[in-house]
Amino acid sequence: MIRGIRVQLKPNNKQKTKLLQSAGVARFAYNWTLNKQIENYKNGGKFILNGKLRKEFTKLKQIEEYS
């Protein structure tokens, strides 16, 4: 038998803000990566590997618009 444990988080206002920011960043990263893959596929390219995408995403921090 597999048992499950339910946990309920009760964050305060600062923690709620941080949780929502984390969700926003994750959504942005997913959408950015998906857009890159779709754009690459339309141009006849193959699947972009994880390491290459991570390097490009890290470079976004240097751009003032995304900092």
Side-chain angles (χ1 to χ4, degrees):
M1 178 191 302
I2 299 175
R3 288 187 168 196
I5 298 173
R6 286 184 116 176
V7 178
Q8 184 176 2
L9 298 177
K10 294 183 179 180
N12 60 28
N13 286 336
K14 287 184 182 180
Q15 291 169 334
K16 283 181 187 178
T17 302
K18 290 295 183 183
L19 286 170
L20 291 173
Q21 286 175 349
S22 296
V25 169
R27 184 174 55 241
F28 173 79
Y30 175 80
N31 289 335
W32 181 85
T33 303
L34 184 62
N35 188 34
K36 280 287 205 184
Q37 292 287 10
I38 291 171
E39 185 179 306
N40 186 43
Y41 182 73
K42 285 182 181 177
N43 293 332
K46 293 185 177 182
F47 185 78
I48 303 172
L49 297 177
N50 187 24
K52 186 175 180 183
L53 283 172
R54 285 178 183 261
K55 287 179 184 177
E56 286 185 44
F57 193 75
T58 304
K59 289 180 184 177
L60 286 179
K61 292 180 186 178
Q62 305 300 325
I63 300 173
E64 189 172 323
E65 179 182 351
Y66 296 110
S67 62

